[in-house]
Amino acid sequence: MPQNIEKSETSAHRDWRDTAAWRVVWPLLLACAFVLLTGLVDGGVGVAPAQLFQQPVFLLANALPGLLLALLLLVLTRRAMLSFGVSFLLQTVIYAVNKLKIANLNVPLMPQDFGMVSQLHKGGLHLLGGYLPSSPWPYLAIVLGVAIIIAIWKWEPTLFRRHTQGKRVAAGALLFVVFGTLLAGVPGWAHMYNGQRLWMEPWSVSGTAEHSGLVSSLVMFHLDQARQQHKKGDPNAAMQVIGQAGQQLRQRMQIDPQAQGEAPDIVVIQSESFFDPSIVKGYEQADLTPNLRRLAAQGSSGPLHVPTFGGGTIRTEFEVLTGLSLRYFGSMQFPYLQMNSKVVPSMVRSLRAHGYETVAIHGNDPTFWNRNSAFKAIGFDRFVSQSSFPKNAAVDGKYMSDRAMTDEIMAQLKDAGPPQFLFAISIEAHGPYDDSPGINVEERNAIPIPEGVEGKAKLETQNYLYHIRHADEELGRLADMLAKRERPTLLLFYGDHLPGLTDMYNTAGFVDGKDMLSQAGTWLLVNPRNPGKAEREDLASWMLPGKLLEHAGIHDDAYFALTQVLAPQLATLTRAPNAPRQAEDEAEQSLDHGMANVALLRMKGKLDPLLPQAQWPAGETGMASGDSEPSASAAAGAHQ
C-alpha cells in the first residue's frame, strides 16, 4: 500500500510539471530572474534592479538580446534552465571583457570590438592576451559555470515533447528571424533602441552604457553604425567650405618653380604610446625625452590630438596616412577592418604620383589589424613585416625593439634611385606594462615616479618609461644618421596615443588640470641635415600628412592643402572616444559640418571635381589661376 501511495504522488508530481501552465510559468519566472540578474551584473544606474518599477523598459531592453537567445535555445534543447543558463553565461563573459576594456582603455565595449575575434589568429592573441587577468579565479569561475551547465543538461527534465506538430519549428524560425534581425542591425529595431525611449549620448559610450546598460548601448551604436554606413556627403556643403578657404587655399597650392629641387626622402615614425611625460604632474622638470626636446628646437612640433586613448593604434594611423578624420566616420571604429574600398585616397598615393617608392615597416604579424590588405588599398608598394626583419633582430621586453626598427629603416634607405617614403610603426612600448620580461631591472627601478604612485601603478609607469626612453634614444640616433646621408631627408615623428596608465594618471593628475582622455600627444617634423627654426603648432593627426607634403614641396593636392588652412579651427576637436565634448560656437559647427561632407566625398572618390587645381605663376607651364576654380557642374557631378 505505501508503495502505491508513493507511486501516485510521483505521478501527480510529473503531471503537474507536464501542464501547459507550468510550461508557461517556468520560463516566465526564469525570464524575470534573467532581467534582474542582467541589471545586477551590468551595474549601470539606469538598469539596476531597483529601477524595475521606475523605468522597466530600460531593464527589459538591456536583457532582451539575451532573452531572445535563451528562448531560441529553449526551443532547440527543450530545457529551460539550461537555455537561460547558457545565455546568461555568455552574457557574463561579455561583461567580463567589457570590464577589462574599461580598466585598460577607459571606454566600454563597442560593436566593432567584436571584429577583434577575427584577429586573434593573426597575432592578436599574443598582443591582446597580455591584458587577460593573471589571477586564476576568473578562469575557475568560467569552468564552474560550464560544469553547472553540463550538470543541468544531464539532469534537467525536458519542458515539452520533441514532436509538437510543427509548433517548435515555427517558434524556432520566428525567434531565429527576430534575433537575426537584431544582430544584423535592421533599422526597425531603432523604434525601441533609441535616445528617446532609452538614453543615448552619441558622443559618450560610457554615458550611454551607464544609463541604458551595456547591451542596450551595443545595440544602439550597432544600429547607428548601420545607419551611418549609408551616409552621403553633400557637395554643396563641401563647396561652401572650399569656397571659404578661398585665397588661403590657392596660396598654399601656389607652385614655386625656383623651389623645385631634389625631392627629399621621407621617414615617418609612428611611435607606440609615445607622449611627453612633462604634461603629468611630478614630471614637469624631468628630462625623460631629451632627444625630442633637442630636435623640437630644430623644426616644427607641438601637441597632437588623436582619436584614441590607450590603444586603437590604427585609428591614429589611418588618419595620418589618409588625412581623413574619423570624427566624420562615426561608425568606423577600426578602419582597417571596415574599409570596403580597394582604393583609398591617401598621402601614400600622392607621394607615389610624385615618383616616390612607398614602404611600410612594422616588426609584427602583417595580418594583425588587417594591415596587409589595408596597406595595399592605401597605396604602399611594399610592406616589410616581422618575417622580413633579420632573424637576430633584438627584442626588448615582449616585442621587437625600437633599435631593431631603426636598423631596418636605415637598411631600407638607398642613396640612389627614386625618392623614398618609409612609414615605420614601432611596437616595443606596447602594453600591458605590468610585465616586461628580460629588461634591465636596475635601470627600470631608477626611473623617478610622481609622489603617491605606488604598487602596480608604479611598476607599470616605470616599465612604460623604460621603453619610452629607448624610443627617444632611437629618435636621436635615427636623426643623427639621417643628417649624415647624401640625400636630404624629412623626419616626421609622433605618438599614436597616450598609454593606458589610468591608475598613475588618476593619482598624479595632469599639469593642465584636465582628465586623461583630454590630453594631447606630441608630434615633430624636422630636416636633420638642415635644421630650421623652432615652430610650435597644435595639430590633429589627420592634419599631419598635409603638413608633411607641404614641407616636402608637394602642393598639388588641394585636399591636403585644405586641411592646413583649417587646422587652427578644427585641430582640438579631434579627441578620444568617450572624452568630454568640446563646446563649438555656431561658426565652428558650420565649419565642422562642412568638413564632414568634404571628408565623406573624399572617401567616396567624389571630391576631386570640386577642388581647385595647383597654380603655376603667370608665364610658367601649367594651369593658369583662372582655370583653378571648380565649376557648378562639378558639384552636380559629385551628387551622382
Side-chain angles (χ1 to χ4, degrees):
M1 188 71 174
Q3 290 181 348
N4 292 336
I5 293 174
E6 182 179 344
K7 184 175 181 180
S8 176
E9 289 177 349
T10 304
S11 177
H13 178 70
R14 185 180 297 115
D15 292 342
W16 173 69
R17 289 290 185 93
D18 283 340
T19 62
W22 174 252
R23 286 195 288 269
V24 173
V25 171
W26 181 227
L28 281 176
L29 290 174
L30 289 175
C32 290
F34 189 96
V35 171
L36 294 174
L37 287 174
T38 297
L40 188 64
V41 172
D42 187 288
V45 296
V47 293
Q51 298 289 337
L52 178 62
F53 298 106
Q54 282 75 27
Q55 44 188 42
V57 173
F58 280 60
L59 278 79
L60 179 60
N62 192 50
L64 183 58
L67 286 174
L68 289 174
L69 176 60
L71 292 173
L72 180 58
L73 291 173
L74 175 59
V75 172
L76 294 174
T77 67
R78 298 178 296 143
R79 291 169 171 84
M81 285 189 66
L82 174 69
S83 301
F84 281 90
V86 169
S87 181
F88 190 76
L89 180 62
L90 292 174
Q91 183 176 264
T92 302
V93 170
I94 291 174
Y95 274 106
V97 174
N98 179 65
K99 186 176 180 180
L100 279 175
K101 186 183 178 188
I102 291 175
N104 288 281
L105 303 182
N106 210 46
V107 63
L109 280 175
M110 295 187 68
Q112 298 89 339
D113 290 320
F114 291 89
M116 289 300 298
V117 175
S118 66
Q119 299 298 300
L120 294 180
H121 69 286
K122 301 177 180 180
L125 187 60
H126 169 67
L127 200 65
L128 302 177
Y131 293 98
L132 294 175
S134 56
S135 170
W137 294 112
Y139 308 104
L140 290 175
I142 293 175
V143 171
L144 177 61
V146 172
I148 292 173
I149 294 297
I150 293 174
I152 294 174
W153 170 269
K154 185 174 181 180
W155 298 108
E156 183 185 14
T158 57
L159 193 62
F160 42 81
R161 295 188 302 273
R162 182 188 300 273
H163 302 292
T164 58
Q165 298 179 337
K167 294 177 182 177
R168 278 181 66 200
V169 174
L174 177 62
L175 285 167
F176 181 81
V177 170
V178 172
F179 188 54
T181 58
L182 181 60
L183 294 180
V186 172
W189 282 102
H191 293 294
M192 179 174 186
Y193 292 96
N194 60 65
Q196 285 73 42
R197 189 176 294 274
L198 302 174
W199 180 303
M200 184 179 186
E201 300 175 15
W203 58 88
S204 176
V205 186
S206 290
T208 302
E210 179 66 17
H211 291 90
S212 293
L214 172 66
V215 178
S216 287
S217 172
L218 287 169
V219 174
M220 286 191 286
F221 280 104
H222 180 42
L223 292 169
D224 186 62
Q225 172 187 335
R227 179 182 60 81
Q228 291 199 40
Q229 284 179 344
H230 303 290
K231 193 175 180 180
K232 297 181 179 180
D234 179 1
N236 292 322
M239 285 281 288
Q240 185 175 358
V241 171
I242 295 168
Q244 288 173 352
Q247 186 61 31
Q248 292 184 66
L249 178 57
R250 288 190 290 274
Q251 287 176 352
R252 286 187 179 270
M253 295 182 67
Q254 185 76 44
I255 298 174
D256 182 3
Q258 304 301 319
Q260 300 298 303
E262 181 182 9
D265 286 337
I266 299 172
V267 176
V268 176
I269 304 295
Q270 178 174 275
S271 189
E272 174 62 44
S273 300
F274 191 98
F275 81 112
D276 185 352
S278 65
I279 66 174
V280 177
K281 289 181 179 178
Y283 285 135
E284 296 96 325
Q285 305 303 320
D287 194 14
L288 296 171
T289 55
N291 288 290
L292 176 68
R293 297 195 183 196
R294 170 175 68 88
L295 293 169
Q298 303 174 11
S300 303
S301 65
L304 184 67
H305 303 273
V306 299
T308 188
F309 168 85
T313 292
I314 58 169
R315 291 178 60 79
T316 303
E317 187 176 307
F318 172 84
E319 289 201 351
V320 171
L321 290 174
T322 65
L324 293 168
S325 173
L326 288 175
R327 174 180 175 80
Y328 305 129
F329 301 89
S331 64
M332 196 177 286
Q333 180 72 9
F334 300 123
Y336 292 172
L337 304 181
Q338 297 173 257
M339 294 189 318
N340 297 317
S341 176
K342 293 183 178 180
V343 176
V344 177
S346 68
M347 166 176 63
V348 183
R349 293 192 175 278
S350 291
L351 289 168
R352 281 181 62 182
H354 283 264
Y356 276 78
E357 179 189 4
T358 57
V359 181
I361 301 172
H362 184 40
N364 194 30
D365 189 325
T367 62
F368 184 58
W369 284 130
N370 200 36
R371 279 192 174 102
N372 57 333
S373 298
F375 281 175
K376 290 178 182 178
I378 287 171
F380 280 104
D381 295 312
R382 292 189 293 121
F383 182 13
V384 179
S385 59
Q386 187 174 16
S387 61
S388 300
F389 277 60
K391 294 188 181 299
N392 61 347
V395 172
D396 200 323
K398 295 182 179 179
Y399 309 109
M400 188 76 71
S401 71
D402 281 3
R403 186 172 187 84
M405 187 184 73
T406 301
D407 292 341
E408 186 62 30
I409 289 170
M410 295 308 298
Q412 292 290 332
L413 283 174
K414 304 176 182 67
D415 288 323
Q420 290 181 276
F421 169 70
L422 303 187
F423 181 77
I425 307 161
S426 79
I427 194 173
E428 178 183 332
H430 200 289
Y433 305 110
D434 57 351
D435 181 36
S436 193
I439 68 172
N440 186 327
V441 176
E442 185 177 346
E443 177 187 340
R444 191 250 340 253
N445 291 343
I447 296 174
I449 290 295
E451 184 178 353
V453 178
E454 300 174 347
K456 182 182 177 183
K458 176 181 178 180
L459 175 65
E460 290 177 337
T461 303
Q462 288 181 319
N463 278 335
Y464 166 75
L465 291 174
Y466 172 89
H467 292 296
I468 277 310
R469 278 183 164 181
H470 293 175
D472 181 75
E473 290 169 4
E474 290 307 308
L475 169 61
R477 185 167 79 97
L478 177 61
D480 292 343
M481 289 190 289
L482 295 179
K484 298 173 182 176
R485 294 186 71 229
E486 295 179 8
R487 297 174 67 161
T489 310
L490 289 178
L491 173 60
L492 173 63
F493 177 93
Y494 67 92
D496 55 351
H497 53 72
L498 266 68
L501 301 171
T502 55
D503 290 339
M504 186 272 281
Y505 299 146
N506 288 332
T507 301
F510 291 91
V511 175
D512 64 4
K514 297 180 180 179
D515 65 63
M516 67 185 87
L517 297 180
S518 301
Q519 301 302 315
T522 188
W523 69 276
L524 165 76
L525 178 57
V526 64
N527 183 337
R529 199 172 77 170
N530 298 300
K533 294 181 179 179
E535 297 179 352
R536 190 168 177 82
E537 183 178 6
D538 265 51
L539 290 179
S541 45
W542 58 278
M543 298 168 181
L544 283 180
K547 174 69 68 175
L548 180 60
L549 291 175
E550 190 173 74
H551 278 251
I554 297 174
H555 303 279
D556 57 356
D557 192 313
Y559 174 76
F560 288 119
L562 180 65
T563 65
Q564 296 309 290
V565 173
L566 303 180
Q569 300 101 302
L570 297 177
T572 59
L573 296 181
T574 291
R575 59 190 180 88
N578 215 38
R581 294 187 76 187
Q582 180 173 320
E584 296 180 73
D585 59 29
E586 188 174 341
E588 288 173 329
Q589 289 178 356
S590 176
L591 181 60
D592 196 23
H593 172 72
M595 194 61 193
N597 287 283
V598 169
L600 288 168
L601 292 170
R602 170 81 167 178
M603 189 65 165
K604 296 289 186 181
K606 297 182 178 181
L607 181 66
D608 286 352
L610 309 182
L611 294 170
Q613 302 298 311
Q615 296 177 308
W616 292 80
E620 298 288 343
T621 302
M623 186 174 289
S625 59
D627 301 319
S628 66
E629 297 292 344
S631 64
S633 60
H639 274 289
Q640 303 302 316

